Amino acid sequence: IVGEHNLFWDPFTLAAHATDATDWRLHLPIAVVCPAEEAQVPPLLQAIAALGLKAIPRGGGTGLTGGAVPVASDCVMINTEKLNRIGAIQQTTFEQAEGGALTLATIELEAGVITEDAMQAAEAAGLVFATDPTSAWACTIGGNIAENAGGKRAVLWGTAIDNLIRFRIAVPGGR
C-alpha cells in the first residue's frame, strides 16, 4: 500500500516510536508505516486490522498525554510526517443559522503539517493561525486536533477543535 521504503521495523525506528514527550514506554510497536498520501490511510487501516493488529497515528511525538504510545504489544504506528501538504488560503462563506452569511479565511492542512509551517502560511497572508502550542516547531496539525491543542492564543481564538470547520478521518476498518 505504501511501498517497502515507507515500512520500518528496525530497532532504532521502533524505539523512537515507542513513546512521545511523556517518555512513557509500555511496548515497542511491531512496525512503523509512513503513508505519503492521504488516500493510502484507509486501505492501510484495513490491512492492519486484517492482520489482527492495532493502529496508532503519530505526528511529531510531542504530546504530553501518551496518545501516541503503544499500549499493547501488537501495535503498528502510522507516522504522518509525509502527509504535510498545505493548501491555499481561501475565503469561504458560511450561512449562519440565524440568517446572513459569514466569510472566513480557511486553509486545508494534512495531518502531518508542522504547526509552525501553518502559522507561517497564515502570517504570509496577513492572518493569524489560532493554535500555537509551545511545541509548534515540531508538533503536527493531526496531533493538535487529537489533543485539542491551544497555546496562549486560545484565550482569544480558542483551541484547535474550536477552529475546525471540517475534517476527514480514516477510522478502524478503513472507512
Side-chain angles (χ1 to χ4, degrees):
I1 296 167
V2 299
E4 287 185 40
H5 61 286
N6 287 316
L7 176 61
F8 304 91
W9 51 74
D10 62 280
F12 178 78
T13 303
L14 297 181
H17 286 76
T19 190
D20 56 12
T22 63
D23 204 27
W24 297 337
R25 297 174 192 272
L26 302 175
H27 296 276
L28 283 176
I30 289 175
V32 176
V33 184
C34 300
E37 299 174 25
E38 285 184 342
Q40 294 173 331
V41 177
L44 186 57
L45 287 174
Q46 286 177 329
I48 291 169
L51 293 169
L53 304 172
K54 296 168 184 65
I56 299 177
R58 177 190 169 94
T62 61
L64 294 171
T65 64
V69 174
V71 294
S73 60
D74 53 355
C75 294
V76 174
M77 302 302 288
I78 300 178
N79 182 310
T80 63
E81 68 187 18
K82 292 185 178 184
L83 303 176
N84 59 4
R85 291 163 194 85
I86 299 175
I89 294 175
Q90 299 178 8
Q91 296 298 318
T92 307
T93 302
F94 300 91
E95 296 299 322
Q96 294 185 313
E98 60 275 359
L102 177 66
T103 300
L104 300 171
T106 62
I107 186 168
E108 185 171 333
L109 305 167
E110 288 188 337
V113 169
I114 301 294
T115 305
E116 187 173 69
D117 293 343
M119 294 168 78
Q120 290 171 353
E123 186 177 344
L127 301 166
V128 173
F129 190 79
T131 304
D132 70 332
T134 304
S135 60
W137 60 274
C139 66
T140 61
I141 297 302
N144 290 177
I145 294 167
E147 297 291 325
N148 196 22
K152 60 190 172 298
R153 293 182 186 159
V155 173
L156 293 173
W157 294 302
T159 63
I161 292 175
D162 295 324
N163 286 280
L164 277 179
I165 292 173
R166 62 181 164 262
F167 62 94
R168 290 182 304 278
I169 184 171
V171 296
R175 293 185 300 111

